[in-house]
Amino acid sequence: MTPRIGILALQGDFAEHLQAFSALDCQPVPVKRPEEVLSCQGLVIPGGESTTIGKLCQRFGVDEAIMQLHQRGAPIWGTCAGMILLAKEIEGNDQWRLGLMDIAVRRNAFGRQVDSFATDLAIAGIADGPVRAVFIRAPYVTRVWGEAETLATFEDNIVMVRQDKLLATAFHPELTDDRRIQQYFLNMVCSII
Ligand code: GLN
């Protein structure tokens, strides 16, 4: 069975995620409504503005659909703003979040001078050398606990975490031509269907 990968299409760079997954053996679909979310075997929450995506999630009832999808055991991957929404703690901020991962994040953590940058990251579980990582007004993870496992760091800051069926990247794998992280997520999805 070809898995349906839902790309949350409320705000942010969902088009780039759709494009990135189109090269792989899956069916990427933009999802906006609760029933569309629930029709998928995996979900990607893209980069964008986490407060806006959060508000739209609540407005359209997508928040509950994502929680249900998670309870069913479907993998969920958040990039950048998506990572913020997966975190249990957001430093100094009470904005709405899904709060599924045992991580604390700091928004816009790299500061003004390095608003956006790219670097090569060694990632645990990804073979064949480092991955080019693009950061855009990115958060990083200040703390992990419980089941959350650090997969990559940049200058001692945690930028990729996995917690069982949940994956979070502070950077944007959809903005390069390397598809290894999409394939890693797809393998998580295929292992449960
Ligand atoms: N700065 C954004 C936020 O805090 C995230 C940036 C991104 O997703 N590229 O929501």
Side-chain angles (χ1 to χ4, degrees), residues 112-192:
R112 280 250 168 104
Q113 292 86 330
V114 284
D115 243 358
S116 301
F117 62 98
T119 189
D120 292 321
L121 289 182
I123 298 176
I126 304 268
D128 301 326
V131 171
R132 191 81 184 148
V134 178
F135 291 80
I136 303 169
R137 298 189 63 229
Y140 59 63
V141 175
T142 53
R143 202 160 60 86
V144 301
W145 64 93
E147 305 293 307
E149 216 188 311
T150 298
L151 299 186
T153 56
F154 171 66
E155 292 179 348
D156 292 335
N157 300 308
I158 299 166
V159 293
M160 182 165 176
V161 179
R162 177 167 177 181
Q163 182 175 340
D164 192 19
K165 297 181 182 75
L166 300 165
L167 186 66
T169 49
F171 51 95
H172 292 269
E174 73 283 8
L175 297 182
T176 66
D177 293 332
D178 190 333
R179 294 291 163 258
R180 282 178 290 169
I181 297 183
Q182 283 83 5
Q183 188 60 57
Y184 178 94
F185 179 68
L186 200 50
N187 293 346
M188 287 168 63
V189 174
C190 291
S191 74
I192 62 136

Side-chain angles (χ1 to χ4, degrees), residues 32-171:
K32 276 188 179 156
R33 291 198 291 263
E35 61 273 21
E36 293 170 336
V37 170
L38 288 165
S39 74
C40 296
Q41 282 82 48
L43 179 74
V44 177
I45 306 175
E49 181 56 41
S50 57
T51 46
T52 306
I53 298 176
K55 279 183 193 148
L56 294 171
C57 272
Q58 290 175 284
R59 186 176 311 161
F60 297 118
V62 165
D63 50 352
E64 282 173 23
I66 297 175
M67 296 309 269
Q68 270 181 48
L69 193 74
H70 170 65
Q71 275 151 21
R72 268 189 208 167
I76 301 175
W77 171 23
T79 59
C80 203
M83 176 171 104
I84 295 166
L85 290 168
L86 286 175
K88 284 194 176 150
E89 288 181 20
I90 305 170
E91 251 187 26
N93 197 311
D94 63 1
Q95 73 187 79
W96 179 86
R97 71 213 63 170
L98 291 158
L100 293 173
M101 290 185 81
D102 293 339
I103 59 176
V105 299
R106 180 177 301 163
R107 291 180 63 184
N108 304 320
F110 291 97
R112 280 250 168 104
Q113 292 86 330
V114 284
D115 243 358
S116 301
F117 62 98
T119 189
D120 292 321
L121 289 182
I123 298 176
I126 304 268
D128 301 326
V131 171
R132 191 81 184 148
V134 178
F135 291 80
I136 303 169
R137 298 189 63 229
Y140 59 63
V141 175
T142 53
R143 202 160 60 86
V144 301
W145 64 93
E147 305 293 307
E149 216 188 311
T150 298
L151 299 186
T153 56
F154 171 66
E155 292 179 348
D156 292 335
N157 300 308
I158 299 166
V159 293
M160 182 165 176
V161 179
R162 177 167 177 181
Q163 182 175 340
D164 192 19
K165 297 181 182 75
L166 300 165
L167 186 66
T169 49
F171 51 95

